[in-house]
Amino acid sequence: MPASPTRELVTDLYQRPLLDLVFESASVHRKHNDASQVQCSSLLSIKTGACPEDCGYCSQSAHHNSGLEREKLMDPETVVKNAKIAKDSGADRFCMGAAWREVRDGKDFEAVLEMVAQVKSLGLETCATLGMLKPEQAQRLANAGLDYYNHNLDTSREHYSEVITTRTYDDRLVTLAIARAAGLKLCCGGILGIGESQEDRIGLLLELASQSPPPESVPINVLVPIVGTPMEKAEPLPWEELVRAVSVARILMPTSWVRLSAGRESLTEEAQTLCFLAGANSIFLGDRLLTTPNRTQNSDQALFDKLGLSPIKTVEVLPKELQV
Ligand code: SAM
Ligand code: DTB
Ligand code: SF4
């Protein structure tokens, strides 16, 4: 794949006959990765609701009336308790999400640094999503033991302002560059089913793959419609569009983790199976995402068993004295 793919190339891939596309992406996947292994992350909302941003899909935006209770920052002890449960359930990465527009220096940020350090010392990979960052803050997160920073582009540049008006596409790219410069790995993807066209999905994939290097982790979310948001009645995404997006992501970013993220509740086992075949190799494990339900662990294990998949084991076994 060329370092910077062109729109023609991505369009040509995206619009291939579905089975040809899946055959191609499955081949790329098997060439670069162990296709029997799935990376499992677990999510926790460490600060819920009352977000000043107006993302049209989100339950946590203060601009919508989703009925979500606002909560203040969780204490590090509770976060670590949740991380231990996640680890025992088979997750190897723990992602902490805060509904902030940007990180502010002060006691809440100090508490987040403490959470990162403690979760890391459990032997889990760490990920955080906290909104916009300044370079010193990114560096402090990296020094505390943060592995990944999640910050999505969500959709194409053209469709962005239809979904979010309180920040720009370039704001997102700046934060991604700041996180990267601090040595953090990037978790950056998008959300499908938010009224975008096929051209917008192609545009998103092109933007993601044009970053140099591409994000190490690429979450592909399908809208979970939230009552009270502008997208509560959005047209459901046809399953084959998700499969196409996963396939193209795999071909353009052969070694990235491509995560089947939010929205698996609305997918059949068959659609998920096609996504795994097409090259998805990561999921969120556990019955809760940030504010919405996820598939149960038992149903995921049952599907893994049917497909011959297993959760990847990257969790280090730490010496007893380093365990918290
Ligand atoms: N506040 C942080 C930010 O601005 O990056 C991150 C948290 S936000 C919940 C992370 C991502 O979750 C969003 O970029 C979007 O792709 C996805 N997401 C949020 N609400 C969703 C929903 N209702 N359905 C599917 N995905 C959703
Ligand atoms: C991402 O791309 N998806 C996750 C994670 N990054 C932080 C969040 C999904 C949120 C789904 C809606 C909710 O539970 O509120
Ligand atoms: Fe806030 Fe993130 Fe939700 Fe947007 S997606 S409203 S930034 S929590």
Side-chain angles (χ1 to χ4, degrees):
M1 208 30 67
S4 207
T6 61
R7 181 171 283 271
E8 284 84 346
L9 181 134
V10 182
T11 306
D12 171 65
L13 276 176
Y14 196 102
Q15 294 180 339
R16 272 190 201 176
L18 187 64
L19 295 183
D20 293 351
L21 175 59
V22 171
F23 184 77
E24 169 77 15
S25 66
S27 310
V28 169
H29 185 39
R30 273 144 210 276
K31 188 164 158 218
H32 289 92
N33 308 297
D34 178 347
S36 69
Q37 299 238 295
V38 179
Q39 188 276 328
C40 296
S41 293
S42 179
L43 265 176
L44 180 68
S45 182
I46 59 170
K47 193 268 157 196
T48 305
C51 183
E53 303 277 22
D54 70 350
C55 312
Y57 47 74
C58 189
S59 60
Q60 305 201 65
S61 167
H63 299 257
H64 322 314
N65 288 320
S66 68
L68 194 73
E69 285 287 324
R70 159 196 200 138
E71 287 167 27
K72 60 182 186 15
L73 187 69
M74 216 176 245
D75 62 89
E77 208 177 293
T78 313
V79 174
V80 171
K81 212 184 282 168
N82 278 277
K84 281 185 178 154
I85 295 171
K87 182 179 172 180
D88 292 343
S89 321
D92 73 326
R93 191 181 307 164
F94 190 70
C95 180
M96 293 158 271
W100 288 331
R101 173 174 163 74
E102 75 262 295
V103 170
R104 301 222 178 109
D105 291 324
K107 83 172 176 9
D108 279 2
F109 185 45
E110 299 303 319
V112 170
L113 293 169
E114 175 67 26
M115 292 169 196
V116 169
Q118 291 211 35
V119 172
K120 179 75 177 172
S121 74
L122 293 175
L124 285 162
E125 286 191 317
T126 52
C127 176
T129 180
L130 314 168
M132 296 186 226
L133 286 177
K134 296 195 189 78
E136 318 77 72
Q137 296 166 334
Q139 199 54 64
R140 291 193 68 200
L141 284 164
N143 295 347
L146 190 68
D147 295 304
Y148 285 84
Y149 198 70
N150 168 247
H151 203 68
N152 290 343
L153 288 177
D154 277 340
T155 190
S156 69
R157 184 179 276 278
E158 293 74 22
H159 190 55
Y160 202 75
S161 58
E162 303 286 319
V163 182
I164 301 152
T165 68
T166 48
R167 57 170 191 255
T168 66
Y169 216 64
D170 286 327
D171 290 333
R172 293 306 260 188
L173 291 168
V174 166
T175 301
L176 288 166
I178 288 173
R180 176 73 90 199
L184 295 168
K185 289 187 234 181
L186 298 186
C187 173
C188 179
I191 169 168
L192 310 182
I194 52 171
E196 78 285 356
S197 63
Q198 197 178 79
E199 218 177 327
D200 292 315
R201 295 192 272 277
I202 290 169
L204 167 68
L205 291 160
L206 178 62
E207 288 277 357
L208 292 170
S210 302
Q211 292 177 61
S212 180
E216 285 79 2
S217 171
V218 180
I220 301 185
N221 298 280
V222 176
L223 178 72
V224 179
I226 310 275
V227 175
T229 65
M231 308 221 162
E232 71 172 292
K233 296 209 166 74
E235 199 58 43
L237 182 80
W239 62 267
E240 67 277 15
E241 288 296 311
L242 172 65
V243 176
R244 285 184 187 281
V246 166
S247 279
V248 173
R250 172 52 66 217
I251 295 170
L252 297 178
M253 298 172 276
T255 58
S256 299
W257 298 109
V258 174
R259 182 172 318 117
L260 210 46
S261 300
R264 286 196 302 120
E265 279 263 271
S266 63
L267 296 179
T268 61
E269 283 200 339
E270 291 86 336
Q272 291 189 73
T273 298
L274 212 40
C275 290
F276 288 126
L277 180 65
N281 62 349
S282 171
I283 58 164
F284 285 120
L285 203 70
D287 13 331
R288 210 158 176 76
L289 295 165
L290 290 175
T291 68
T292 64
N294 193 20
R295 289 219 166 228
T296 63
Q297 178 120 14
N298 288 347
S299 69
D300 281 337
Q301 191 54 55
L303 181 58
F304 278 20
D305 290 345
K306 283 183 208 172
L307 305 183
L309 298 174
S310 48
I312 205 162
K313 289 268 170 281
T314 56
V315 177
E316 310 156 42
V317 179
L318 288 181
K320 267 261 169 300
E321 62 277 14
L322 288 180
Q323 292 180 10
V324 287

